[in-house]
Amino acid sequence: MNFDWSVVGAHRDALAAATGMTVLLTVATMAIAVPCGIVVAALRLYAWTPVRAVATAYVELFRNLPLILVVYWAFYVLPIATGLGLSPFATGLAALALNVTAYNAETFRAGIGSIRRGQLEAAMALGMSRAQAVRRIVLPQAVRRILPVLASTWVSLFKDTSLVSVIAVSELAYVAMQIRAQTFRVLEMLTAMAAVYWLLGYPQAKLVDWIQRRYAVTE
Amino acid sequence: MSRRAKESGARIIRYRGVVKRYGTFQALSGVDLDVHAGEVVCLIGPSGSGKSTLLRCTNALETIDGGEIEFEGARIPRDGRALRDIRRRMGMVFQSFELFPHLTALHNVAEGPRTVLHARRAEAEDRARAMLAKVGLSDKASNYPAALSGGQQQRVAIARALAMEPDVMLFDEPTSALDPETIGEVLSVMKALADEGMTMVVVTHEMNFARRVGDWVAFFDAGRIVEQGPPRQIFDAPRTERTRDFLSHLGWHGQTL
């Protein structure tokens, strides 16, 4: 078997653009899923019971469905449900955000639950409302505690963005597969893909580890 | 100062028939107590006798199931802005300090003025520095709680409560979690506060403090106040067998200091 690595170089612009799309999808998904995760976690913890039930149902639905199914589902159902012709990018982003928000909500809920009750009481004894106490005192401690979990979610998400290739979002996996199909250079393209995912994923994981050490709260 | 001299001070907190249940357990079974302005009232008694519960009901960290608690002649509201206004006028100090571990000592103390009183940052931090100076910790302003000893943490917690300029201070076993050698520094700060005329309700196992600093002592057992009176009465001439029994188990045999 002979290898022809020139195929990678020949398509470097397309691969670079696709890598950019993968990074963009990851960042955009987290930009939605972190604040939404906090909101869903807060609803599950503090809201009026029926609202709490809806939040719980949401989490349990999306946490227990395969992501690829959610991607397909968003692709076929969202246009009918919303009447909008969403781009593949928007559709893929919606599917990823729905999934990761559910995970983040559970992560934040666990983090908030791990802060002992006395902290909330100390804040409320100063005259803070429950919302102020959660925002100013509980949440900042919870976020620091769950940073390693958010980091894992981030790295998983970075790789899982490849699943939206099934609806033709031109991210790294889709573009690499397209090139493979055109050139029949299977091993070269798969290896190039693996290299890009790993080389980008590893430093991200390390970066978050560093943030975790830098901002950890000792008690 | 004796209670008699202070009774001219207005009654600031009034407990009448206070009842608190946890499921089938009755934590408080009808407690009556008055706290006057400028007075130090010490709540003593065995663990689980209800003294901490009464303190936590005072600023509604616990809700009561019967009776009433009045602050300056009005019932403690159950929730909302009215309750928050009352809470900020009652400083609270916890057994386990409950400093905010993600904030420096200075920001722990400035947090209340910033968030609740909407003070400007510089103003809140100036006040926080003044309060830290008051508890003798000016040099620890930039330390995080984890870098402070237990006694220092509790003094920061007192400064944090004082920064709200409260009318009453509630102390929930403030020295019970401390090493013996740091208890004194916290009690000294509390004594100084009492000497300034701060109204204080103190749940404590420090009988020397109750005797020397307290104006009024209430002895709790099984959810009731068994006996209350000036420290001289409680410690030198307890009227009930239960009080005598409790004090003898603490190694207190009526001798003066």
Side-chain angles (χ1 to χ4, degrees), chain A residues 116 119 121 125 136 141, chain B residues 56 87 98-99 101 111 164:
Chain A
R116 62 175 186 274
Q119 288 285 303
E121 289 182 347
R136 303 276 307 175
Q141 294 180 56
Chain B
R56 291 167 55 81
R87 278 181 175 155
E98 300 299 349
L99 288 185
E111 180 63 32
M164 301 301 288

Side-chain angles (χ1 to χ4, degrees), chain B residues 68-235:
Chain B
E68 56 188 53
I69 304 177
E70 287 179 358
F71 179 68
E72 293 185 336
R75 274 197 186 211
I76 306 282
R78 288 183 78 88
D79 49 27
R81 171 167 291 282
L83 173 60
R84 298 202 295 278
D85 285 342
I86 298 276
R87 278 181 175 155
R88 75 174 200 220
R89 296 173 57 196
M90 295 184 179
M92 187 155 195
V93 176
F94 298 84
Q95 178 177 353
S96 48
F97 327 135
E98 300 299 349
L99 288 185
F100 307 133
H102 61 301
L103 302 176
T104 61
L106 184 76
H107 289 125
N108 261 278
V109 182
E111 180 63 32
R114 280 281 280 162
T115 307
V116 178
L117 304 178
H118 306 293
R120 281 177 295 112
R121 177 188 292 270
E123 190 189 327
E125 291 184 1
D126 284 349
R127 190 190 291 193
R129 272 187 206 92
M131 293 302 132
L132 285 175
K134 195 179 169 83
V135 299
L137 289 173
S138 294
D139 56 330
K140 302 291 184 189
S142 57
N143 285 46
Y144 283 89
L148 299 173
S149 73
Q152 290 169 338
Q153 288 189 54
Q154 195 59 300
R155 283 148 68 196
V156 174
I158 293 171
R160 176 176 70 179
L162 291 175
M164 301 301 288
E165 298 180 337
D167 297 319
V168 182
M169 285 286 284
L170 309 173
F171 291 88
D172 189 5
E173 299 197 27
T175 59
S176 296
L178 294 176
D179 293 334
E181 64 265 32
T182 64
I183 289 176
E185 65 193 58
V186 172
L187 293 179
S188 298
V189 168
M190 291 169 63
K191 168 81 164 64
L193 209 51
D195 290 345
E196 284 176 18
M198 175 62 78
T199 309
M200 295 163 55
V201 184
V202 186
V203 174
T204 187
H205 291 296
E206 293 294 324
M207 295 304 143
N208 286 332
F209 180 85
R211 182 187 178 85
R212 288 166 55 183
V213 183
D215 298 297
W216 194 257
V217 176
F219 171 66
F220 278 69
D221 188 41
R224 294 175 196 280
I225 295 179
V226 175
E227 181 171 357
Q228 57 178 303
R232 203 172 294 272
Q233 174 200 322
I234 302 293
F235 293 109

Side-chain angles (χ1 to χ4, degrees), chain A residues 17 19 22 43 45 47 70 75 84 90 101 105 114 127 129 179 219:
Chain A
T19 304
T22 289
L43 292 177
L45 285 165
V70 178
F75 185 71
L84 299 170
T101 295
S114 77
S129 65
I179 297 168
E219 288 185 57

Side-chain angles (χ1 to χ4, degrees), chain A residues 42-121:
Chain A
L43 292 177
R44 284 199 73 179
L45 285 165
Y46 306 116
W48 186 50
T49 311
V51 178
R52 195 181 296 196
V54 171
T56 304
Y58 161 77
V59 168
E60 293 304 347
L61 178 63
F62 283 98
R63 204 167 54 139
N64 295 299
L65 285 177
L67 179 51
I68 195 161
L69 181 67
V70 178
V71 172
Y72 275 124
W73 180 84
F75 185 71
Y76 289 109
V77 175
L78 272 187
I80 301 165
T82 63
L84 299 170
L86 291 176
S87 68
F89 176 79
T91 308
L93 181 60
L96 289 168
L98 281 169
N99 177 270
V100 178
T101 295
Y103 275 96
N104 283 354
E106 285 305 274
T107 305
F108 278 107
R109 195 167 69 98
I112 290 168
S114 77
I115 305 300
R116 62 175 186 274
R117 186 166 173 76
Q119 288 285 303
L120 192 70
E121 289 182 347

